[in-house]
Each structure stands twice: as structure tokens, then as C-alpha cells.
Amino acid sequence: MAYPTPPVRLIDRFGRTVDYLRISITDRCDYRCVYCMAEDMTFLPREQVLTLEEIYTIAKAFAELGVKKIRVTGGEPLVRKGVLELLEKIGQIESLNELVITTNGSQLETMASDLKVAGVKRINISLDTLDADKFKAITRTGDLQQVLRGIDAVKAVGFERIKLNAVILKGSNHQEVCDLVQYAVDKGIDISFIEEMPLGVVTKHDRSEAYYSSALIKEDLARRFSLEATLEKTGGPSSYFKVVGTQTRVGFISPHSENFCSTCNRVRLTVEGRLLLCLGNEHSVDLKAVLRENPSDMVVLKQAIIDAMLIKPEKHEFNIHEQPVILRYMSMTGG
Ligand code: SAM
Ligand code: SF4
């Protein structure tokens, strides 16, 4: 009698199933956010960056190994030439349940409907402030109105879910948390607050002094909104609350104050083709080398991915009060 073969799954040493891949498709960006990049960045030469074809092959290998959700991010993913074709191809991988992107919103005004057509279901848009001057100061180059028009454009086109991401820094935008939630409520979309992570060296602020915990944000919000805890998970590290009487959910990504490593289900593909097993550690496998040494050999590629699970660390080692141990920026890693 023939038994059905069990579904393939990626499982690490701690029994965690990895079913979520984040891919940084470019280290380039039209912004230079103070917590993410230095003002003067040197970007990678083209030959060091995965081609779109290589990215697709790796995405397919992961899907064949049980990954159900892929997030395309960067740098700014929408500034890479060919991104729509890549999204369309990844979106057609049958076993994937979800294709999502994270963007700074600068290109959405013109790209919203193309993204929908390409098969993107959910969009995360970074928005740290509603004050145009502050927006310029945080992003160093960005135009707030352009992003707000982009948000309206994705709303008009209609996606399954639109979520804002806000990194909150004390002394910069911490007084705006209620206004940001009110904006999300008015637009009928969700919002997550992120504690800053010590990735790469930044010069504009002291990360320890700028630390503003999720607990403080919750206290601030409680003065204006009624938040109800939900058990909902969206495959990421956020814990969610519903704003009572509205459609809006508020998420908190709290790498410092609420460690979420025990439920970690994700790995990241860096722009250079390094499979990074943990955002807060350097454990990685060079999938670009595997792919370039064994062109179109899916068996070798998939085995390298399976083997990589053995070095996924138990938890991140972030310490906001020390100089970063992790010298790579979020833009290379895929936030
Ligand atoms: N450019 C896109 C954007 O800004 O949404 C996608 C890439 S960006 C690296 C992804 C997310 O990482 C953004 O929401 C950004 O705010 C967040 N981020 C960047 N650097 C961070 C840091 N040091 N700590 C926490 N979040 C960070
Ligand atoms: Fe660019 Fe996103 Fe980093 Fe800002 S957070 S510099 S928009 S990659």
C-alpha cells in the first residue's frame, strides 16, 4: 500500500518551522532614514547583487520546501528595475499563500494598480510621522505628501490588507503615536509600531537615548483609544490590538521589550544572496555561491537551504545600549 508523502517542511534545531521568507531585492533606496542608513552610503556593485532570475529561483526552492509567505523588501524594492515582473512570477508560484511587499511609499502613486495586477495581496508602508518637516528630517530626502498620495492610491486600488509601519524614536516622533493611529483609523488601515533595532552604525541619534518602548506607546495610546488584545497573528513578530469601534488593528514589534524569538518562523535572503538565519546574528549561508557554482541545480540549492536550518540561532542578541555588533544595515538585510 502506498502512503501519501508528508508535506516538506523546514524545521530548525529548536523545532521551529520556517515558512516565511523575506527577500531584500536591492540595497538601494531613494531615502536615507536616520535609523536605517548612513547619510553617505556606498551601494553594492551589480555583480554582487542577485539577479532577478536568481531571486526567483531561490524563492521557488523555498516554496518547494514548504514556505508559504514571501515578503519582498529592500532597500526600497520599488526602485529596482524589473520588480513588477519579479513579483508577478513569484506570485504565480502555486504553493505560496501570500506575496507581500514593504515599501517606503514613494512610488505607490504611480505603481499601485500595477502591484495589484502583479498579484501583491498585502502592502506595508513605512510612515513615521505626519509632519512634513519631520518626515524630511527622518528620511533625509523624502516628501510626505507624495507618500500620503501613495497611500490613497493603494486604498483606491484595494488590497487585502494595508498596514503602516512606524519606527518610534524618543525626542523625534514619539509624541505622534496617537495622531498616527488616528490617521490609520480614518483611512481604515492597520498600523504597527517598531522598536528601533541596532543594525549598522547611525550618526544622527543615540539609539539608547532614542529608545521608546512598546509599553510607553501603549500607555500613550490608552489616553485616546480603547485597545483590545487579539490573538491574531499575521505570520510576523507583531502582537495585535484592535482599536475598539474601528476597523484598525495596532501591532507592536518589540524586539527589546518582548522577545519573540521562540516563535520565529522566518529567514531572510540578503541582497547579496546570503541566507540570513536571524536578524540579530550573523549566521548565514551563501546561496548565491551555491547557485552560481551549480546553475539550475534545484536539488543542491534545496539541500543547502535544508542544511542551513541547523545553524539558525535560538535568539537575537540585540543590545540597544551598546555599539551595534551587527554592522549590516536593515536595507541590506530586508526589514
Ligand atoms: N524601504 C522600505 C521601507 O522603508 O518600508 C522597505 C525596507 S525597510 C529596511 C523595512 C522596514 O525596516 C521599514 O519599516 C523601516 O522603518 C524598518 N527599519 C529600518 N531600519 C530599522 C532599524 N534600525 N530598526 C527597526 N526598524 C528599522
Ligand atoms: Fe530606505 Fe526603507 Fe531604509 Fe528608509 S527604512 S532608508 S526607506 S530602506
Side-chain angles (χ1 to χ4, degrees):
M1 174 178 149
Y3 292 99
T5 33
V8 185
R9 286 197 301 160
L10 288 171
I11 300 178
D12 77 355
R13 286 175 297 155
F14 306 97
R16 297 172 296 193
T17 299
V18 170
D19 57 8
Y20 179 8
L21 173 68
R22 293 183 175 215
I23 308 177
S24 174
I25 66 164
T26 177
D27 58 336
R28 285 159 205 260
C29 185
D30 46 346
Y31 293 179
R32 297 283 183 279
C33 301
V34 292
Y35 46 74
C36 178
M37 288 195 183
E39 187 152 22
D40 191 14
M41 290 291 285
T42 311
F43 296 109
L44 291 166
R46 185 184 291 200
E47 62 279 6
Q48 277 184 39
V49 172
L50 289 177
T51 65
L52 295 178
E53 194 56 41
E54 287 170 333
I55 294 172
Y56 171 72
T57 305
I58 295 175
K60 192 151 186 311
F62 269 97
E64 289 176 14
L65 290 169
V67 160
K68 298 287 174 214
K69 173 173 174 181
I70 291 185
R71 176 176 302 282
V72 170
T73 174
E76 175 45 42
L78 300 186
V79 301
R80 178 147 184 191
K81 218 166 144 233
V83 61
L84 288 171
E85 292 77 7
L86 174 70
L87 289 168
E88 197 171 342
K89 274 181 82 179
I90 297 179
Q92 283 166 3
I93 301 175
E94 252 177 41
S95 57
L96 268 192
N97 293 342
E98 260 188 287
L99 170 61
V100 291
I101 64 162
T102 302
T103 171
N104 64 20
S106 68
Q107 312 299 312
L108 287 176
E109 200 179 356
T110 52
M111 290 179 80
S113 45
D114 291 337
L115 288 167
K116 179 92 192 285
V117 172
V120 175
K121 299 277 188 297
R122 289 171 38 186
I123 300 195
N124 284 4
I125 306 161
S126 297
L127 182 69
D128 300 328
T129 173
L130 293 163
D131 174 311
D133 293 333
K134 225 180 258 180
F135 189 84
K136 179 73 94 196
I138 293 174
T139 61
R140 292 192 177 106
T141 60
D143 172 3
L144 174 68
Q145 288 309 322
Q146 190 180 27
V147 174
L148 298 184
R149 288 195 301 271
I151 293 170
D152 288 338
V154 288
K155 275 255 342 157
V157 173
F159 286 83
E160 274 174 21
R161 190 172 194 208
I162 303 167
K163 180 165 78 84
L164 305 176
N165 276 344
V167 175
I168 299 302
L169 305 180
K170 190 163 140 199
S172 169
N173 60 348
H174 79 274
Q175 280 163 332
E176 277 194 76
V177 293
C178 286
D179 293 345
L180 285 164
V181 169
Q182 188 60 54
Y183 174 81
V185 167
D186 293 344
K187 297 284 170 192
I189 59 182
D190 297 333
I191 181 165
S192 275
F193 292 105
I194 308 174
E195 291 178 352
E196 187 187 11
M197 294 169 233
L199 298 172
V201 177
V202 294
T203 49
K204 273 271 173 169
H205 62 288
D206 179 317
R207 279 180 164 142
S208 171
E209 282 170 16
Y211 175 57
Y212 201 70
S213 70
S214 295
L216 288 173
I217 299 174
K218 281 178 199 159
E219 273 175 32
D220 295 342
L221 294 181
R223 288 188 209 111
R224 211 196 292 177
F225 304 96
S226 182
L227 296 187
E228 200 174 72
T230 72
L231 292 174
E232 189 195 356
K233 284 307 251 178
T234 56
S238 274
S239 55
Y240 281 100
F241 292 76
K242 181 119 196 194
V243 183
V244 174
T246 77
Q247 296 297 313
T248 296
R249 284 162 291 194
V250 182
F252 296 90
I253 302 177
S254 323
H256 306 293
S257 56
E258 281 169 48
N259 188 291
F260 40 67
C261 299
S262 65
T263 56
C264 182
N265 62 340
R266 58 207 151 267
V267 289
R268 292 173 166 83
L269 182 65
T270 73
V271 69
E272 290 175 283
R274 203 150 60 96
L275 178 63
L276 194 66
L277 283 311
C278 171
L279 187 58
N281 281 286
E282 291 297 6
H283 302 58
S284 68
V285 170
D286 186 354
L287 291 186
K288 183 178 69 192
V290 173
L291 206 55
R292 291 189 184 175
E293 280 159 25
N294 308 274
S296 57
D297 192 336
M298 279 302 246
V299 175
V300 173
L301 177 61
K302 285 203 276 188
Q303 193 57 52
I305 295 170
I306 292 167
D307 293 346
M309 295 303 123
L310 297 177
I311 59 164
K312 185 169 165 62
E314 187 177 7
K315 55 188 170 57
H316 68 69
E317 307 290 350
F318 287 140
N319 184 345
I320 198 94
H321 304 295
E322 286 176 5
Q323 274 302 312
V325 183
I326 307 288
L327 294 178
R328 75 185 128 71
Y329 289 98
M330 187 72 114
S331 51
M332 300 190 63
T333 309

